[in-house]
Amino acid sequence: MEAVHEHDHSHDHPTGLMRWVTTTNHKDIGTMYLWFSFAMFMVGGVMALIIRTELFQPGLQVVQPEFFNQMTTLHGLIMVFGAIMPAFVGFANWQIPMMIGAPDMAFPRMNNWSFWLLPPAGTLLVLSMFVPGGSAGVGWTMYAPLTVQQGMGMDLVIFAVHILGMSSIMGSINIVTTILNLRAPGMTMMKMPLFVWTWLITAYLLIAAMPVLAGAVTMTLTDRHFGTHFFNAAGGGDPVLFQHIFWFFGHPEVYIIAIPAFGVISQVIPAFSRKPLFGYASMVYATASIAILSFLVWAHHMYTVGMPVEAQLYYMFATMLIAVPTGVKVFNWVATMWKGSMTFETPMLFAIGFLFLFTLGGFTGLVLALTPVDVQLHDTYYVVAHFHYVMVAGALFSAFAGVYFWLPKWIGKMYDETLGKWHFWLSIIFFNLTFFVQHFLGLAGMPRRIPDYSLQFADFNMISSIGAFGFGLSQLLFLYILIKAIRSGEKAPEKPWDGADTLEWTHLPTPAPYHSFETPPTVK
Amino acid sequence: MSTQPGGYYLPSPSHWPIFGSIALFLMAFGGVLMMNGAGGGTATLVVGVLVMIYMLVGWFGTVIGESESGKYNKQVDVSFRWGMSWFIFSEVMFFAAFFGALFYMRVLSVPWLADADTAALLWPGFTAEWPASGPAIAEQFTPMGAWGLPAINTAILLTSGVTITIAHWALKENKRSTLNWFMFLTIALGLTFIAVQAYEYGHAYKDLNLTLESGAYGATFFMLTGFHGFHVTVGTIMLIVIWLRCLKGHFKPENHFGFEGVAWYWHFVDVVWLGLFVFVYWL
């Protein structure tokens, strides 16, 4: 298998802006995904800070409740669909072709479209704040019947979700096809780096789950404008029906975000432990089991809607079952480090931070899986704390680990190790300051998504808000580190990490050339 | 830099995707304006649709040109097969959401509303039966019978599945005339199906008082058959494109993924229809 690049003998690349608009190169597209994700991370971060500013003290100080609701909605949607998911698709674009010895992605033009659907969708989301009535103030879960009563901002959000879904589905089809069809000779499935495996499984989840979300928001749209009664009991429908359809998508979505993070961590920990990953095959099977189980547990988000007790028991036990493959993974990461020759550069620090905090988030997830406990904690700050431990300390920290780990390969220059360590320590301290106290708030009964609270919650909220601003400002340091590395970073050695053993480190120069693997390597 | 024939084809930079993004943005924005009665919505939507058509014609035209000039090797062909399969899987999941809503209403939410305790509090006297428009929709409707036009449409669509398979056999044996005629027949059956479906909608609205607003039954009936009808329309356009390509002498007995992809899609809408016929019309 050799690659034919049409442009090398027919015409040249466009330059300037048009290079980025028309590119079919997986590295260009990966770069755009990553920068877009960072920009959205900043936008969603500002929204989080508006929320935390309002919650700094009890009472209403800064924003109106309607606007507060819009902020919680858009913060969630932008962080999930605009920041975290595109970040991992960016990693997939850069890394998968290099890690499996492919010349590019299987469908380079569709790859371009997958990315370029994101800016219009992001624009629709942001635009929704400026139409009469403002954006949707319904929470990112978009529950009926509240969504049916919103203004036109809700419609913009619905179409944004449709376009984001199209982008994810096309991106996933591309990734699955690349992995299944473009592996170098000798790169059997069970020799693929675990990052590639996790993306194969994630892409399957996306293709299965995103169309269901499209169906859910389409029903919302027709209930709003075309007189259907899907979510209205007067017509034989049921608002709870929306929750079932939404969480049939929503729970796999949790793993769509978490599983690529597992993949990054599974590359970083062996590299800095200078040992192969412990239990490779069990990692693959554990990831696949998590993916299958993720479609069978959705109603644990809905224990309080009035389910039969048999259903509650089923969802409780099925949910707790997920702890088994997750435990396998955590055990394997720890066992990889066991007796390893470990060093603690920034990627490894973020990976270890991930390991501690993601596991903590997993434990609070087990707590919430217990129906009787969840009935108390449902819609409290305990839930907010729980999912920020897995979304921020889980997914985001692993994205940071991935950026520091692969940046030398991408740009051929090193980041500032001292500043990287500062970034890690500031992030982990402020992260815990922000979110650890929210466990206490939730246990004490503070409801989420409300702009005001009783006086007894004041101290912890103040601490949390201070932590949030510290965390947000620390991310400006990350931006500075990136710019500094790109503009004036030291030249990276060919292989800066001793223990890295995947194809991009062993078979390609640093920085990786624009076209990797014209001729596929032979994998032994 | 490798330029040998037979390599995996990587296209040069392309301006088609950005046209698609602009089109979708205009369609979404125009649609929102239109639904909310704001000015300029319909015009924006129409411009978006035109840009989308321009993009689809241009992009698929490019792909057809590349395919006919022999740039796609065996491995590219396998990529297309995986891609189309996963696309159809995503479509299956989209329909699954609406079938899920149908089953949920029939099996759970409508009977719950007739449950003694609930009914006593909300709508006394509501009894659960299917088809139902729900407890608080005053207007009555007549459900669509299964064994009139829908049964004929089932026969039409199943027959079109046979004719496209005969066309495929003819293509593989290089019998071009049979291929062209059976493609024509498949398209004619597809168009007939759409026409019958359009007539049925008119009948539902005019004679049966069955509309999108007829509660649980009306919503699931029109959304399921509507999305299916949309897919049949898209499938028919795809068939017409493939037929025109057949007439121009495209496709070889051993290499014709464009044809097969459309055939897969056509069988997919066929299978969805069987689900619709059984669960929406018949049972």
Side-chain angles (χ1 to χ4, degrees), chain A residues 1-14 18-19 21-24 103-110 112-113 116-117 120-121 123-124 127 131 151-152 155-156 159-160 162-163 166 169 173 176-177 180-183 204 207-209 211-212 214-216 218-219 221-222 224-231 233-238 240-241 244-245 248 295 308 515 518-519, chain B residues 1-22 24-25 27-29 31-33 35-36 38 52 55 59 62-63 66 71-84 86-87 89-91 93-94 96-98 100-102 104-105 109-110 112-113 122-123 126 132-137 212-220 223 227:
Chain A
M1 175 191 76
E2 308 226 337
V4 186
H5 298 282
E6 190 191 47
H7 39 267
D8 293 319
H9 52 87
S10 52
H11 42 89
D12 291 320
H13 292 284
M18 287 314 283
R19 166 190 169 182
V21 172
T22 62
T23 183
T24 47
D104 204 298
M105 298 292 280
F107 306 111
R109 272 184 296 239
M110 192 169 81
N112 173 301
W113 202 21
W116 278 106
L117 283 173
T123 309
L124 288 173
L127 208 61
V131 296
M152 72 187 280
D155 299 318
L156 289 167
F159 283 114
H162 272 132
I163 296 177
M166 288 175 65
I169 291 167
I173 289 175
V176 172
T177 305
L180 292 177
N181 193 35
L182 263 63
R183 298 192 311 280
Y204 157 74
I207 298 171
V212 177
T218 303
M219 290 177 215
L221 188 78
T222 58
R224 284 170 55 76
H225 292 292
F226 301 103
T228 57
H229 293 83
F230 285 108
F231 309 132
D238 189 349
V240 176
L241 170 60
H244 280 293
I245 303 174
F248 184 84
F295 280 109
H515 297 294
E518 307 289 334
T519 310
Chain B
M1 197 67 32
S2 142
T3 52
Q4 293 95 324
Y8 195 91
Y9 177 74
L10 297 175
S12 60
S14 168
H15 60 270
W16 295 117
I18 197 70
F19 277 103
S21 297
I22 292 167
L24 279 176
F25 179 82
M27 286 162 71
F29 193 59
V32 170
L33 291 178
M35 282 178 224
N36 289 280
M52 178 58 87
M55 181 280 268
W59 193 335
T62 309
V63 172
E66 286 168 358
K71 286 178 176 160
Y72 298 160
N73 67 0
K74 191 78 198 143
Q75 200 183 12
V76 176
D77 193 70
V78 174
S79 282
F80 284 145
R81 281 160 199 281
W82 277 122
M84 192 69 193
W86 286 100
F87 170 65
F89 174 58
S90 78
E91 294 268 46
M93 293 307 292
F94 181 75
F98 287 91
L102 170 68
Y104 183 91
M105 287 180 180
S109 71
V110 170
W112 280 340
L113 288 167
L122 291 172
W123 289 287
F126 176 67
S133 61
I137 307 276
L212 204 51
E213 302 182 18
S214 304
Y217 181 79
T220 49
M223 291 300 280
F227 272 116

Side-chain angles (χ1 to χ4, degrees), chain B residues 47-75:
Chain B
V47 172
V49 171
L50 291 176
V51 177
M52 178 58 87
I53 291 170
Y54 172 67
M55 181 280 268
L56 289 171
V57 171
W59 193 335
F60 279 107
T62 309
V63 172
I64 290 166
E66 286 168 358
S67 172
E68 285 304 307
S69 56
K71 286 178 176 160
Y72 298 160
N73 67 0
K74 191 78 198 143
Q75 200 183 12

Side-chain angles (χ1 to χ4, degrees), chain A residues 124-459:
Chain A
L124 288 173
L125 279 181
V126 175
L127 208 61
S128 71
M129 285 192 287
F130 302 101
V131 296
S135 185
V138 293
W140 86 280
T141 48
M142 300 180 285
Y143 277 11
L146 194 52
T147 44
V148 182
Q149 299 153 359
Q150 294 280 306
M152 72 187 280
M154 188 70 227
D155 299 318
L156 289 167
V157 169
I158 287 172
F159 283 114
V161 168
H162 272 132
I163 296 177
L164 290 164
M166 288 175 65
S167 161
S168 290
I169 291 167
M170 281 193 273
S172 300
I173 289 175
N174 217 337
I175 288 168
V176 172
T177 305
T178 306
I179 296 172
L180 292 177
N181 193 35
L182 263 63
R183 298 192 311 280
M187 175 65 80
T188 57
M189 294 294 275
M190 291 309 275
K191 278 186 190 163
M192 296 194 308
L194 209 77
F195 177 75
V196 180
W197 256 113
T198 55
W199 248 113
L200 178 64
I201 291 163
T202 304
Y204 157 74
L205 288 179
L206 275 164
I207 298 171
M210 293 308 287
V212 177
L213 176 66
V217 294
T218 303
M219 290 177 215
T220 305
L221 188 78
T222 58
D223 267 18
R224 284 170 55 76
H225 292 292
F226 301 103
T228 57
H229 293 83
F230 285 108
F231 309 132
N232 183 351
D238 189 349
V240 176
L241 170 60
F242 179 86
Q243 298 184 26
H244 280 293
I245 303 174
F246 179 84
W247 286 114
F248 184 84
F249 144 82
H251 198 74
E253 171 68 25
V254 172
Y255 293 100
I256 286 164
I257 289 171
I259 287 177
F262 298 162
V264 173
I265 297 303
S266 303
Q267 302 302 136
V268 171
I269 288 183
F272 293 91
S273 306
R274 292 161 181 80
K275 273 177 66 190
L277 184 70
F278 184 87
Y280 171 90
S282 68
M283 280 304 228
V284 172
Y285 300 136
T287 313
S289 325
I290 292 174
I292 292 164
L293 285 172
S294 75
F295 280 109
L296 305 172
V297 297
W298 74 88
H300 67 215
H301 297 268
M302 309 160 48
Y303 283 141
T304 55
V305 295
M307 258 190 281
V309 74
E310 297 86 345
Q312 291 186 330
L313 282 171
Y314 160 74
Y315 282 109
M316 178 167 81
F317 290 130
T319 304
M320 291 167 75
L321 206 56
I322 297 183
V324 176
T326 313
V328 168
K329 287 176 150 298
V330 173
F331 178 84
N332 284 345
W333 288 322
V334 175
T336 304
M337 292 191 275
W338 179 256
K339 291 189 174 174
S341 175
M342 290 170 72
T343 51
F344 299 92
E345 287 88 343
T346 310
M348 186 61 165
L349 287 177
F350 272 108
I352 294 172
F354 164 95
L355 204 52
F356 275 99
L357 297 180
F358 175 81
T359 307
L360 194 59
F363 281 141
T364 53
L366 269 177
V367 172
L368 290 168
L370 293 158
T371 313
V373 181
D374 181 79
V375 170
Q376 299 293 315
L377 296 177
H378 188 87
D379 254 347
T380 68
Y381 260 80
Y382 193 86
V383 177
V384 177
H386 155 69
F387 70 72
H388 281 93
Y389 266 76
V390 287
M391 295 286 117
V392 180
L396 183 64
F397 276 23
S398 90
F400 287 149
V403 168
Y404 286 114
F405 182 59
W406 280 305
L407 195 69
K409 177 53 69 181
W410 296 344
I411 63 171
K413 294 175 185 172
M414 292 301 286
Y415 60 90
D416 186 322
E417 188 63 55
T418 313
L419 288 179
K421 285 183 171 141
W422 268 99
H423 177 221
F424 168 72
W425 286 109
L426 287 172
S427 292
I428 200 162
I429 289 167
F430 283 122
F431 169 81
N432 281 298
L433 203 59
T434 313
F435 292 109
F436 199 77
V437 291
Q438 294 184 359
H439 291 112
F440 306 135
L441 287 170
L443 288 167
M446 178 173 162
R448 62 189 285 213
R449 291 173 170 170
I450 309 283
D452 190 8
Y453 49 82
S454 312
L455 293 179
Q456 75 267 27
F457 303 129
D459 291 348

Side-chain angles (χ1 to χ4, degrees), chain B residues 59-189:
Chain B
W59 193 335
F60 279 107
T62 309
V63 172
I64 290 166
E66 286 168 358
S67 172
E68 285 304 307
S69 56
K71 286 178 176 160
Y72 298 160
N73 67 0
K74 191 78 198 143
Q75 200 183 12
V76 176
D77 193 70
V78 174
S79 282
F80 284 145
R81 281 160 199 281
W82 277 122
M84 192 69 193
S85 312
W86 286 100
F87 170 65
I88 290 175
F89 174 58
S90 78
E91 294 268 46
V92 169
M93 293 307 292
F94 181 75
F95 277 98
F98 287 91
F99 273 107
L102 170 68
F103 297 146
Y104 183 91
M105 287 180 180
R106 279 187 73 161
V107 180
L108 299 173
S109 71
V110 170
W112 280 340
L113 288 167
D115 177 71
D117 294 341
T118 314
L121 286 168
L122 291 172
W123 289 287
F126 176 67
T127 48
E129 53 195 19
W130 191 266
S133 61
I137 307 276
E139 291 208 28
Q140 295 300 308
F141 69 89
T142 314
M144 187 65 70
W147 297 107
L149 287 178
I152 293 171
N153 250 353
T154 308
I156 289 172
L157 214 49
L158 287 176
T159 312
S160 76
V162 175
T163 54
I164 198 171
T165 305
I166 294 173
H168 190 198
W169 286 342
L171 173 55
K172 284 206 272 196
E173 287 165 22
N174 214 11
K175 295 176 181 162
R176 303 297 296 204
S177 162
T178 318
L179 164 67
N180 293 340
W181 276 108
F182 273 88
M183 279 306 290
F184 172 76
L185 213 54
T186 310
I187 293 163
L189 288 166

